[in-house]
Amino acid sequence: MYLKEIGAKAKLASRYMAKCSTELKNKALLKVADDLIKNQDEIIKANKIDIDNAVADGMSAALLDRLTLTPERFELMAEGIRQVVLLDDPIGEVTGMKKRPNGLVIGQQRVPMGVIGIIYESRPNVTVDAFALTFKTGNAVILRGGSDCIYSNIALVKSIRESLKSLSIDENAISLIENTDRKLAIEFMKMNEYLDLLIPRGGAGLIRNVVLNATVPVIETGTGNCHIYVDKDADLDKAIPIINNAKLQRLGVCNACESLVIHKDIAEKAIPLIAADLSKHECEIRGDEASKMYSNCINDCTEEDFGTEYLDKIISVKTVSSLDEAIEHINKYSTGHSEAIITESYEASQRFLNEVDSACVYVNASTRFTDGFMFGFGAEIGISTQKLHARGPMGLLALTSTKYIIYGNGQIRE
Amino acid sequence: MYLKEIGAKAKLASRYMAKCSTELKNKALLKVADDLIKNQDEIIKANKIDIDNAVADGMSAALLDRLTLTPERFELMAEGIRQVVLLDDPIGEVTGMKKRPNGLVIGQQRVPMGVIGIIYESRPNVTVDAFALTFKTGNAVILRGGSDCIYSNIALVKSIRESLKSLSIDENAISLIENTDRKLAIEFMKMNEYLDLLIPRGGAGLIRNVVLNATVPVIETGTGNCHIYVDKDADLDKAIPIINNAKLQRLGVCNACESLVIHKDIAEKAIPLIAADLSKHECEIRGDEASKMYSNCINDCTEEDFGTEYLDKIISVKTVSSLDEAIEHINKYSTGHSEAIITESYEASQRFLNEVDSACVYVNASTRFTDGFMFGFGAEIGISTQKLHARGPMGLLALTSTKYIIYGNGQIRE
């Protein structure tokens, strides 16, 4: 009953939102940003409760850091919302309008998705981010954050709903499932009557749970077992810094490189240099037998390593005897997120781009660029690793649908 | 094991298909069409077994007709394939290629979906249709047809696989699940390792079963509780033939009109004319109290009628006192397929187009036009009633995905 009520209210709000002008949506977003700054003391108080509980539960320092709200982070959240205001509103655009032989004029109009559910873990900034993006695209959003973050989320959503109310906007454009019971989360994933789309944001376990349980349409995001292939024609002056960057610039992210594939003809030259550079930065290397011949810094690896997203200072190495073998290995173990080839060969670059089956395929660049901001979308709701609807970094467009509008003058079908 | 083997082979075939040239794909499609004609006697023999079984099971005449293969239908199936040959191959197109400030050049390339599963009922022509469309778009397809049609499907797929083999094309580009055990069908819906997309084609029960059980991405197709709204400013010379066409031109289709919504200011004039016309064609009308005042041909209706897709010579009537009420009623009871307004009012037409939340929204035309061929796509794999990925009639593009291709020259992320 509790969820159905939230769902029904969100559905109604989505009808309201679909009619909202860009002007009003932008005005509301700016008000939400200003009010979050104004209400930050109160929200930080609520955040403290979450932090105290997390400390008592022994949460790791890294996760505690993600959970913590500070005045600087309020500035960042508000700035994030203001950036979304500056983006073009995709809603209403009509594309491909054509006249059919019978005189019907058929066009495709961009419309909001409707009601979007988002299930995520303990990062309160996702609450604000997800609201800004779904609101700008004329959707209603239902948030289900982690229990670790519940007091922060309640306070954030309260502030946002009050801002909307003050402008006479239906505050059910954002709702939070305050009861973090897991059974309710599963029920939420099956609300086909109310949810048009569900996006999980978080670790592999959360995403798997949503994919296996949801009956509503889902966009699978996130997990990235990303590869860099060092081709026999690689320029090592590019390869070494790119590998270093892709593995070490930030460890816990889905676009970090987790596995190297190295052509045997360049292994003797490349592996000692790569191993020395990574080892210097305390990165553990786990390689196959052939790779271990070229460096003492390489530990044993198992088949399991090739399928592991470490999110840590560890990387696996596989040597191959051809481009074909490299592509086959990558297509077998990759999660379809981001892969790069380092090569000066035209043919190898083209074959890699065409044959590697991932959302983002790079030539001579770090996989760390897979990101809505880096791609120039101005914002990001996540990175899709499925092929339906959206693939790769998702900006505002991924939160929209289309409908056909047809102008007739009495046509009937023969 | 049986399904996993089919899945693994299809996955491999999908890698092969993704690299296939348009030329080879077209050559293969023409060969498949020719060979089906050549092998028709053998296939018709298999079809006879299905028909005999169906007759023994007491299948209705309408369903028996759908099941039956004749030389004329072989010509139609072959012609359907040849039409697909003439369509542009969408695979490989690169759109939106842009240079970022750091020099990375990022484009989006259209690629096949991969492995597509199709679950359908007893129409053997779907087997051939689904193959032609998925093959042209570089996918591998796994078909799970109804048990009523199994001998026909086995014979059709055998012919197609032999045609592919004769051109040295991986014949696992098409596979059929020959064991029609329902448990296997459920297992099929959960093959996330192998299936990139699952499309159910058939009645409401089949589609619901897939939506509730599948863990792979699904495109929901089909059910249509379509409305026509007769506005107070309707031209009844357009309204009467459009309603007649939308309800009666073909009964068992998802884009047939199932419910009329009539503005009270035109009810007195419109309802007697509409009721007389529909009754003349033996169509039962079930209307609310207000509508019954204007015609003796209108029977009682219940709330349930408004939510029913009759697929029969029955239509419901609801009277409303405003455009707002009409839109609200439609958005409440519609399945989001196709709805039309009959009006000469500019404002009413624009509001209806914008506020009715359906895949196809018409002004002054029959809902029967919702169809890939009528929309000019040249082919159709189904009509999506969900908002993710594809909405409305789905042509070749709906069977494709995209990937980002990124050209760098050593870029790393700061």
Side-chain angles (χ1 to χ4, degrees), chain B residues 212-245:
Chain B
L212 292 184
N213 285 295
T215 57
V216 302
V218 167
I219 297 182
E220 198 173 335
T221 65
T223 52
N225 183 24
C226 303
H227 294 75
I228 293 181
Y229 168 55
V230 183
D231 186 44
K232 70 179 165 64
D233 295 315
D235 175 351
L236 293 180
D237 288 342
K238 289 176 187 154
I240 310 292
I242 287 173
I243 291 168
N244 182 295
N245 183 259

Side-chain angles (χ1 to χ4, degrees), chain A residues 114-155:
Chain A
V115 180
I116 299 177
I118 299 186
I119 297 190
Y120 56 107
E121 288 169 341
S122 319
R123 297 177 67 161
N125 63 314
V126 172
T127 307
V128 174
D129 260 21
F131 163 73
L133 297 171
T134 51
F135 187 85
K136 175 84 185 206
T137 41
N139 295 290
V141 71
I142 304 177
L143 301 169
R144 200 281 186 187
S147 54
D148 294 337
C149 196
I150 186 66
Y151 290 99
S152 316
N153 284 339
I154 289 173

Side-chain angles (χ1 to χ4, degrees), chain B residues 338-393:
Chain B
S338 300
E339 332 289 337
I341 183 174
I342 315 296
T343 191
E344 298 300 308
S345 155
Y346 175 77
E347 200 205 335
S349 72
Q350 291 299 308
R351 283 201 50 210
F352 194 85
L353 287 174
N354 282 323
E355 297 177 28
V356 168
D357 187 19
S358 294
C360 301
V361 191
Y362 294 82
V363 181
N364 294 336
S366 167
T367 54
R368 287 281 293 116
F369 288 108
T370 300
D371 175 310
F373 298 93
M374 289 291 135
F375 275 33
F377 301 164
E380 186 194 282
I381 190 81
I383 294 168
S384 163
T385 51
Q386 73 179 33
K387 294 185 181 173
L388 201 72
H389 185 70
R391 196 176 186 205

